[in-house]
């Protein structure tokens, strides 16, 4: 198989031309005018000045709808291309165009790692015939920098043909590097001195990895004519000239679509701890942990910062962490230790069935692979599945459970697939795990390295049995394969690899067995993740937002989020409408309630008997993703399934836990538990059963409190100064005249914005006030802050006012109480009784006209 390349792809040519046009007006430099007597070096020469370059750049940026640069100091230019859209091809074609149009000859491609270097050399090798056909068989040389072949530097400097050197940043950024040493074969000169005299054009592949002060200094030390920086994930954009961002690539179908198959476990019976990071500063040392934090009656994983001496049971409000007091945080050896003797390394988890989850992930990935293989084989496409792991021994050692789980699952499923049933499991998978950047580090894995890194064509051939590739961070950048259709993230530890780097390994459109790129249909990359799809999407969305700013997710621009402080209009405290409504609503109350304990017990028993608690499962959910520039990542549910876990759990003190959470006596809890018919469900999932009981009891208790509540006036009032000094954001103010602030009305949502605008346009509305959060109505189920106070003249059909009415309104997306959350309904009912006691009408409304009605 030979890859086919296309010279007419508009998005790639736009990227090439954007760079070429930076130097428009530069004359073609002929070779005979380039010779320098000293060492016979042939340099790159630039004749146009910075003023002309700046004018050209401004025109390009405006044409590409990119922010215009203020200057071109350093002559660094950034090109942003989403992973999978042919970044390497684009900068190689740019090299030939720069030579063709301007006579530039000396190019150095700088890469951050061996893996990326091998990918570049591979592309140079397979594009030879393609570029020679396009550019009239133009002579050019390319090679990998090799410190053992230092004469190549002299050839690079003296050659009058196009010279392309591929070099890792570590090859020249240290004083002891051969590039920095005087060499006899170069007449006592340092190799880098010859390179400098050529004024090379630097091309940085994955430029974001060369932002350290040392890297920047080393690059400047090459005396480049200019530098082109290519990446999908720039940390800093230097004079951005072209941008093909993820949304553009996705919506133009230049990359695969994405779907997430998440494998998670819903088990809150054992203490779960993950040590994400150890943070050492001049002030002290801390650690970020992920724990099961108590929120309401249930538990959810949350990340918190803790220090030496902290008790996790206190920090998480979760008694399961009793005994987990931090005794030691070690930054050098990267671990934390608790007073109970348990030790956790940075990145590790405790209390998670990660092996069970990984086995199901592997099984799911194999099933996904076979499903896609059967569909794609008819089109001549062989799919590849990529597994990211973090502990190499889990795959390579004799007892590596990942390899064992894979081979067991493969043997189980292969019988139904003709192309695989006669293959042994060890024939279909291979792994490459070098994380170092040196050539020596890849020698141990040379067979796998050659197949995975160098011989993509063979890997994509149906004649090659290997279809499953195992690796880790060595493949996070600089390597991809167009036929990767599944990525399975088997991480026991907290993954530091960015989501965009993970999915980038498989975003490229596929290639058939004739080397043809398949562009006329939709292709899907499936990520089998060991976290919920919500968490995965949230992290991916944050990465996009960090890259492209708030516009990607439709957040209000930063200038609209500037803080401001509102004060009442001067003298408005004397306004009669304001004085009247404030005197009515500012009175404070307290409540009293009556509870029928026998009815409460009966109601709780009836509801608890209805609950169903399944055995703990590993949950499988699949969603598809779509990218929209102003809305961020949207998800569409595809399906779900589950696998049961057979575990035994210690039963906690049920009576104590329920009593503590509900504030009912132990005697009342015992009466409820002794009379329910499904107490045995506690053995399926103790914590889920307890949480369900707590929620039901709290709900029934709240209903009884709300239904029996009475409000009594007290001799206290809210002071008028509560309405002064309101802190908000400029983007949250709606211009309005009939309110107490000259700037307008404060709003918290689009519904409130429309509500305020409508009130301001109604003739019979005399005044409306957005009540501050500190204006509180006490309720048995928590504090409640109403939204609006409104003064209205009730008019007849002739517009004559005959009664002034005072309202308090709550704006909701729905006025159907059945559609609101239980706690919202109860608070609204309590508020209604509170304001009734004050002689003020109260209602939950969706629109302003509902008040008039």
């Amino acid at each position: 198989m030979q890859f086919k390349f296309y010279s007419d792809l508009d998005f790639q040519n736009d990227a090439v031309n954007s760079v070429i046009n930076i130097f428009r007006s530069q004359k073609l430099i002929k070779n005979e005018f380039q010779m320098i007597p000293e060492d016979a070096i042939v340099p790159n020469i630039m004749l146009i000045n910075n003023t002309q370059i700046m004018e050209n750049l401004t025109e390009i940026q405006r044409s590409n709808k990119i922010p215009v640069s203020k200057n071109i100091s350093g002559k660094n230019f950034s090109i942003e291309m989403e992973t999978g859209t042919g970044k390497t091809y684009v900068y190689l074609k740019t090299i030939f165009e720069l030579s063709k149009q301007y006579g530039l000859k000396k190019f150095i491609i700088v890469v951050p790692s061996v893996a990326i270097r091998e990918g570049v050399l591979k592309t140079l090798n397979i594009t030879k015939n393609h570029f020679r056909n396009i550019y009239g068989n133009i002579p050019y040389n390319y090679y990998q920098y090799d410190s053992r072949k230092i004469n190549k530097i002299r050839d690079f400097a003296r050659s009058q043909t196009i010279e392309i050197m591929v070099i890792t940043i570590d090859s020249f950024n240290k004083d002891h590097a051969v590039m920095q040493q005087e060499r006899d074969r170069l007449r006592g000169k340092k190799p880098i001195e010859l390179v400098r005299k050529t004024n090379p054009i630097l091309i940085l592949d994955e430029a974001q990895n060369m932002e350290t002060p040392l890297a920047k200094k080393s690059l400047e030390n090459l005396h480049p004519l200019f530098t082109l920086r290519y990446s999908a994930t720039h940390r800093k954009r230097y004079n951005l000239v072209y941008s093909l961002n993820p949304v553009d690539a996705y919506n133009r179908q230049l990359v695969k679509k994405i779907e997430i198959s998440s494998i998670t476990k819903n088990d809150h019976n054992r203490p779960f701890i993950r040590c994400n990071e150890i943070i050492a500063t001049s002030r002290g040392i801390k650690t970020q942990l992920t724990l099961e934090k108590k929120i309401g009656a249930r538990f959810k994983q949350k990340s918190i910062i803790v220090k030496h001496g902290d008790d996790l049971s206190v920090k998480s409000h979760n008694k399961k962490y009793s005994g987990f007091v931090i005794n030691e945080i070690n930054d050098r050896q990267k671990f934390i230790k608790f007073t109970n003797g348990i030790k956790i390394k940075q990145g590790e988890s405790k209390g998670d069935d990660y092996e069970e989850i990984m086995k199901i992930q592997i099984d799911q990935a194999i099933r996904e692979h076979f499903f896609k293989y059967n569909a794609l084989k008819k089109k001549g496409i062989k799919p590849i599945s990529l597994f990211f792991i973090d502990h190499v021994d889990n795959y390579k050692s004799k007892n590596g459970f990942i390899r064992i789980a894979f081979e067991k699952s493969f043997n189980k499923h292969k019988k139904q697939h003709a192309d695989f049933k006669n293959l042994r499991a060890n024939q279909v998978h291979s792994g490459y795990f070098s994380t170092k950047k040196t050539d020596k580090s890849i020698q141990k894995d040379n067979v796998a390295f050659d197949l995975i890194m160098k011989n993509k064509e063979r890997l994509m051939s149906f004649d090659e049995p290997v279809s499953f590739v195992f690796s880790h961070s060595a493949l996070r950048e600089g390597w991809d394969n167009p036929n990767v259709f599944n990525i399975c993230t088997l991480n026991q530890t907290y993954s530091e690899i960015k989501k965009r780097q993970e999915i980038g390994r498989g975003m490229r459109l596929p290639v058939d067995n004739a080397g043809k790129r398949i562009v006329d249909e939709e292709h899907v990359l499936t990520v089998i993740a060991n976290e919920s799809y919500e968490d995965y999407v949230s992290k991916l969305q944050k990465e996009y937002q960090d890259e492209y700013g708030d516009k990607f997710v439709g957040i209000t621009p930063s200038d609209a989020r500037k803080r401001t402080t509102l004060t009442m209009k001067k003298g408005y405290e004397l306004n009669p409408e304001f004085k009247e409504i404030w005197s009515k609503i500012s009175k404070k109350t307290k409540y009293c309630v009556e509870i029928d304990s026998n009815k409460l017990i009966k109601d709780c028993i009836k509801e608890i008997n209805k609950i169903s608690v399944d055995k703990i499962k590993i949950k499988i959910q699949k969603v598809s993703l779509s990218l929209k520039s102003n809305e961020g990542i949207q998800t569409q549910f595809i399906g779900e399934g589950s696998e049961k876990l057979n575990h035994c759990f210690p039963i906690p003190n049920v009576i104590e836990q329920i009593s503590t959470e509900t504030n009912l006596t132990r005697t009342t809890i015992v009466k409820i538990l002794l009379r329910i018919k499904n107490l045995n469900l506690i053995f399926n999932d103790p914590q889920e059963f307890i949480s369900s009981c707590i929620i039901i009891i709290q709900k029934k208790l709240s209903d009884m409190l709300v239904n029996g509540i009475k409000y009594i006036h007290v001799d206290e009032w809210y002071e008028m100064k509560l309405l002064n000094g309101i802190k908000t954001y400029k983007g949250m103010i709606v211009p309005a005249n009939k309110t107490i602030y000259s700037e307008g009305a404060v709003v918290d949502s689009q519904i409130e914005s429309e509500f305020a605008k409508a009130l301001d346009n109604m003739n019979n509305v005399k005044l409306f006030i957005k009540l501050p959060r500190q204006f509180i109505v006490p309720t048995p189920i928590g504090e409640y802050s109403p939204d609006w106070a409104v003064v209205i003249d009730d008019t007849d059909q002739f517009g004559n006012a005959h009664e002034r009415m005072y309202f308090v309104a709550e704006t909701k997306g729905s006025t159907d109480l059945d559609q609101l959350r239980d706690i919202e309904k109860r608070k609204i009912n309590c508020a209604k009784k509170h304001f009734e006691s004050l002689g003020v009408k109260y209602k939950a409304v969706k629109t302003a006209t509902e008040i008039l009605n």
Side-chain angles (χ1 to χ4, degrees):
M1 185 187 87
Q2 289 187 338
F3 286 107
K4 288 182 171 58
F5 294 91
Y6 306 87
S7 61
D8 58 349
L9 299 180
D10 58 352
F11 64 95
Q12 293 183 343
N13 286 334
D14 288 344
V16 174
N17 292 331
S18 293
V19 172
I20 300 304
N21 289 335
I22 296 172
F23 310 104
R24 192 172 53 242
S25 300
Q26 160 81 4
K27 292 181 180 179
L28 175 64
I29 305 296
K30 302 288 186 178
N31 285 344
E32 55 265 28
F33 299 113
Q34 288 187 332
M35 190 67 70
I36 292 179
E38 184 183 355
D39 294 320
I41 289 173
V42 179
N44 287 322
I45 294 176
M46 180 68 67
L47 298 178
I48 66 171
N49 57 37
N50 287 353
T51 302
Q52 183 62 58
I53 292 175
M54 189 69 211
E55 289 177 5
N56 292 342
L57 176 63
T58 300
E59 184 179 334
I60 294 162
Q61 290 173 328
R62 285 175 177 163
S63 175
N64 289 339
K65 299 179 180 178
I66 289 170
V68 173
S69 300
K70 295 180 180 178
N71 58 65
I72 55 165
S73 58
K75 290 184 182 175
N76 280 267
F77 304 99
S78 297
I79 300 89
E80 182 173 71
M81 295 193 71
E82 177 61 357
T83 301
T85 58
K87 164 174 60 78
T88 308
Y89 176 88
V90 164
Y91 67 64
L92 293 182
K93 188 173 182 181
T94 301
I95 287 174
F96 290 104
E97 285 293 329
L98 286 169
S99 180
K100 176 184 175 181
Q101 298 196 34
Y102 307 131
L104 302 171
K105 303 291 185 185
K106 306 301 170 67
F107 301 88
I108 300 178
I109 300 173
V110 187
V111 298
S113 70
V114 169
I116 297 175
R117 185 195 69 194
E118 291 302 319
V120 174
L121 290 170
K122 177 66 178 179
T123 304
L124 278 162
N125 184 45
I126 62 180
T127 55
K128 280 189 295 187
N129 292 334
H130 172 76
F131 285 127
R132 280 175 177 156
N133 288 335
I134 296 175
Y135 294 100
N137 222 21
I138 186 172
Y140 69 95
N141 299 309
Y142 68 87
Y143 38 82
Q144 163 194 334
Y145 167 77
D146 188 337
S147 61
R148 295 166 298 182
K149 300 176 181 178
I150 210 65
N151 285 341
K152 280 282 189 181
I153 296 292
R154 184 167 52 207
D155 296 340
F156 174 87
R158 292 179 174 180
S159 171
Q160 296 192 16
T161 62
I162 298 173
E163 296 289 324
I164 304 171
M165 182 194 303
V166 185
I167 187 170
T168 59
I169 185 76
D170 283 347
S171 297
F172 64 92
N173 69 351
K174 297 181 175 65
D175 291 337
H176 64 267
V178 172
M179 183 75 87
Q180 304 279 5
Q181 298 173 0
E182 294 178 355
R183 314 300 292 180
D184 291 338
R185 283 178 289 176
L186 299 179
R187 298 180 181 178
K189 293 183 181 296
K190 297 177 183 179
I192 197 169
E193 292 175 1
L194 297 182
V195 173
R196 286 175 188 152
K197 290 180 180 180
T198 69
N199 296 327
I201 295 165
L202 299 188
I203 294 175
L204 310 188
D205 194 329
E206 302 296 351
Q208 74 278 6
N209 293 321
M210 294 175 249
E211 290 282 4
T212 65
L214 176 60
K216 288 180 178 180
K217 183 179 178 182
S218 299
L219 293 168
E220 290 171 4
N221 204 28
L222 293 175
H223 295 181
L225 190 69
F226 56 85
T227 302
L228 303 177
R229 314 172 72 93
Y230 289 82
S231 179
T233 54
H234 288 286
R235 284 201 184 101
K236 183 178 178 182
R237 294 168 176 84
Y238 300 78
N239 300 312
L240 185 64
V241 296
Y242 179 79
S243 176
L244 179 64
N245 65 41
V247 176
D248 294 335
Y250 199 86
N251 292 330
R252 291 171 66 178
Q253 296 189 333
L254 304 178
V255 292
K256 294 188 183 88
K257 302 295 184 185
I258 309 168
E259 64 182 23
I260 309 298
S261 181
S262 69
I263 317 293
T264 57
K265 178 174 64 76
N266 187 26
D267 175 12
H268 306 292
N269 293 282
R270 295 179 296 172
F272 168 81
I273 305 172
R274 182 170 62 222
C275 179
N276 299 329
E277 184 182 9
I278 291 172
I279 307 161
T281 67
S282 57
R283 291 186 170 185
I285 189 166
K286 299 178 182 180
T287 180
Q288 185 197 62
L289 306 179
T290 296
L291 308 173
E292 299 248 327
K293 194 170 183 180
K294 185 173 176 297
I295 300 174
R298 299 196 183 280
F299 298 90
K300 188 172 183 180
Q301 287 188 5
K302 292 284 185 182
S303 293
I304 62 172
I305 301 292
V306 293
K307 61 184 185 303
H308 179 268
D310 280 348
D311 186 336
L312 298 193
S313 65
V314 175
K315 300 292 286 188
S316 64
H317 307 291
N318 188 342
K319 291 185 178 180
K320 289 198 297 288
Y321 293 104
S322 179
F324 283 89
V325 178
I326 295 182
N327 187 46
E328 182 181 358
I329 305 175
N330 191 310
D331 180 52
R332 178 166 293 181
Q333 298 181 35
K334 299 297 181 184
F335 71 82
I336 60 172
K337 191 174 181 181
F338 299 95
T339 52
N340 58 13
I342 291 176
K343 181 178 176 181
I344 305 178
K345 294 180 181 179
Q346 179 172 292
E348 283 189 344
S349 303
K350 294 291 183 184
D352 199 8
D353 289 301
Y354 64 87
E355 287 194 17
E356 290 297 322
I357 291 174
M358 286 186 189
K359 287 176 183 177
I360 293 174
Q361 280 184 274
I362 291 167
D363 191 76
Q364 191 76 4
I366 291 172
R367 290 166 61 186
E368 196 76 51
H369 182 93
F370 285 144
F371 172 78
K372 289 183 178 177
Y373 183 93
N374 292 334
L376 293 169
K377 184 185 177 184
K378 303 169 188 175
K379 303 171 185 178
I381 302 171
K382 174 190 170 185
I384 307 296
S385 291
L386 175 61
F387 295 78
F388 279 110
I389 69 175
D390 52 6
H391 291 307
V392 178
D393 285 345
N394 288 341
Y395 174 79
K396 296 195 73 173
S397 68
K398 182 179 178 181
N399 299 316
F401 79 86
I402 285 179
R403 191 193 68 260
I404 291 171
F406 172 84
E407 295 184 350
K408 182 179 178 181
S409 182
F410 175 81
N411 288 330
K412 179 178 72 174
H413 292 296
K414 74 175 186 177
K415 299 168 187 175
Q416 288 82 40
H417 302 278
D419 286 6
F420 291 91
K421 67 180 181 181
N422 294 322
L423 291 173
R424 299 188 309 276
N426 62 3
Q427 291 179 278
V428 300
H429 65 90
S430 185
Y432 171 63
F433 299 99
S434 174
T435 57
K436 298 180 181 178
K437 299 178 181 179
T438 63
D439 294 292
K440 291 181 181 178
S441 67
I442 67 176
Q443 291 175 358
K444 294 180 181 179
D445 293 322
N446 61 334
V447 175
F449 179 83
D450 286 345
L451 174 64
I452 297 167
M453 304 299 293
K454 289 188 173 183
N455 298 324
K456 287 185 182 181
E457 300 98 328
R458 197 179 100 208
L459 182 60
M460 295 162 60
S461 167
F462 286 100
D463 295 329
E464 169 57 56
V466 171
S467 298
F468 302 90
V469 174
F470 288 80
S471 191
H472 51 40
S473 57
L475 296 183
R476 70 181 179 181
E477 294 171 318
W479 181 93
D480 58 26
N481 188 301
N483 287 6
V484 168
F485 278 86
N486 303 302
I487 293 177
C488 185
T489 56
L490 301 173
N491 299 315
Q492 175 191 347
T493 63
Y494 180 76
S495 174
E496 293 183 358
I497 300 177
K498 287 190 173 184
K499 302 303 178 190
R500 287 189 69 193
Q501 291 172 339
E502 284 181 344
I503 64 175
R505 302 317 101 219
M507 291 296 286
R508 195 180 295 275
L509 292 179
V511 171
D512 66 16
N513 53 6
K516 182 183 176 184
R517 184 169 170 263
I518 309 301
V519 298
D520 55 351
E521 54 188 279
E522 185 175 284
H523 302 281
V524 179
L525 171 68
T526 302
V527 179
I528 299 98
N530 57 356
E531 58 187 316
S532 72
Y533 74 86
E534 296 99 333
D535 287 344
Y536 192 98
V537 169
S538 175
K539 292 172 186 174
L540 182 60
Q541 172 123 333
K542 186 178 185 304
E543 290 174 19
Y544 283 134
Q545 188 180 337
D546 289 344
E547 268 315 299
Y548 301 103
D550 293 342
K551 289 182 180 179
F552 177 76
V553 290
I555 296 174
T556 306
S558 56
D559 59 345
R561 289 188 286 158
K562 290 179 180 176
R563 283 190 170 275
T564 187
T565 301
L566 301 184
T567 55
M568 289 174 59
K569 296 174 183 176
K570 191 172 182 179
Y572 208 82
E573 62 273 9
L574 302 177
N575 178 284
E577 288 92 356
F578 171 72
K579 286 174 64 179
E580 183 65 21
I581 193 169
W582 187 251
S583 68
K584 288 179 175 291
I585 66 173
S586 63
K587 295 176 183 176
K588 292 187 178 182
T589 63
K590 66 179 181 180
Y591 62 84
C592 58
V593 294
E594 295 180 2
I595 295 178
D596 184 338
S597 58
N598 288 329
K599 186 177 186 307
L600 174 65
I601 291 171
K602 289 179 182 178
D603 288 349
C604 290
I605 291 169
K606 182 180 178 181
E607 289 301 313
I608 293 174
N609 278 331
K610 295 178 183 178
I611 67 172
S612 176
V613 178
D614 292 331
K615 289 186 176 181
I616 292 172
K617 299 175 181 177
I618 291 179
K619 184 165 60 174
I620 305 167
Q621 293 180 303
K622 184 183 281 189
V623 298
S624 62
L625 309 188
S626 61
L627 276 63
K628 297 183 179 179
S629 58
N630 293 320
E631 300 176 35
I633 300 174
Q634 306 297 305
T635 60
Q636 176 68 45
F637 219 85
I638 296 174
E640 65 179 340
S642 63
E643 297 279 347
K644 287 186 178 180
L645 277 175
N646 293 314
H647 283 321
C648 295
F649 306 99
I651 304 300
N653 189 329
V654 182
I655 297 169
E656 174 71 22
Q657 196 168 332
I658 297 176
S659 174
T660 301
E661 294 297 323
T662 61
N663 290 319
L664 294 181
T665 65
R666 292 177 179 82
T667 302
T668 302
I669 302 303
V670 169
K671 288 179 180 178
I672 293 171
L673 294 178
L674 287 177
R675 291 165 60 183
I676 61 175
K677 298 176 182 178
N678 54 358
L679 186 59
N680 62 307
L681 293 178
I682 198 169
F683 299 109
N684 288 348
D685 186 339
Q687 192 56 58
E688 178 60 23
F689 177 82
I690 292 170
S691 295
S692 297
C693 289
I694 290 170
I695 289 169
I696 287 171
I697 293 171
Q698 287 176 334
K699 182 173 181 254
K700 292 300 176 184
L701 181 59
S702 295
D703 287 340
M704 195 165 284
L705 291 171
V706 170
N707 292 335
I709 196 169
K710 291 181 181 178
Y711 280 91
I712 303 168
H713 297 180
V714 295
D715 194 21
E716 293 180 35
W717 290 264
Y718 280 108
E719 296 183 24
M720 201 178 292
K721 65 180 181 180
L722 192 70
L723 300 172
N724 258 324
I726 300 296
K727 297 186 183 301
T728 186
Y729 297 96
K730 289 184 177 180
M732 298 172 68
I733 300 173
V734 173
N737 296 316
K738 297 177 180 178
T739 188
I740 61 175
Y741 307 111
S742 56
E743 296 89 341
V746 180
V747 296
D748 295 329
S749 65
Q750 186 63 31
I751 290 174
E752 289 193 357
S753 176
E754 297 301 324
F755 183 81
K757 290 175 185 176
L759 288 180
D760 203 50
N761 289 325
M762 290 179 176
N763 291 331
N764 49 349
V765 172
K766 297 303 175 185
L767 169 71
F768 65 95
I769 308 167
K770 177 66 190 299
L771 296 170
R773 294 186 184 278
Q774 297 88 342
F775 189 96
I776 292 166
V777 175
T779 82
I781 47 176
E783 295 177 340
Y784 166 72
S785 297
D787 287 333
W788 305 92
V790 187
V791 180
I792 298 177
D793 276 348
D794 190 14
T795 59
D796 58 25
Q797 66 268 35
F798 303 108
N800 299 315
H802 56 81
E803 183 182 1
R804 179 152 288 174
M805 306 185 75
Y806 302 92
F807 283 90
V808 171
E810 175 75 16
T811 41
K812 292 291 182 186
S814 172
T815 55
D816 182 354
L817 290 185
D818 290 335
Q819 294 184 21
L820 300 178
R821 292 183 301 132
D822 286 340
I823 193 166
E824 290 179 310
K825 288 191 287 186
R826 296 188 189 102
K827 286 185 176 181
I828 285 172
N829 286 331
C830 288
K832 187 174 182 180
K833 293 185 178 181
H834 163 83
F835 286 110
E836 280 178 356
S837 73
L838 301 180
V840 176
K841 296 179 182 293
Y842 170 89
K843 190 177 182 181
V845 297
K846 187 175 181 180
T847 64
T849 54
E850 291 180 52
I851 295 182
L852 299 183
N853 295 338

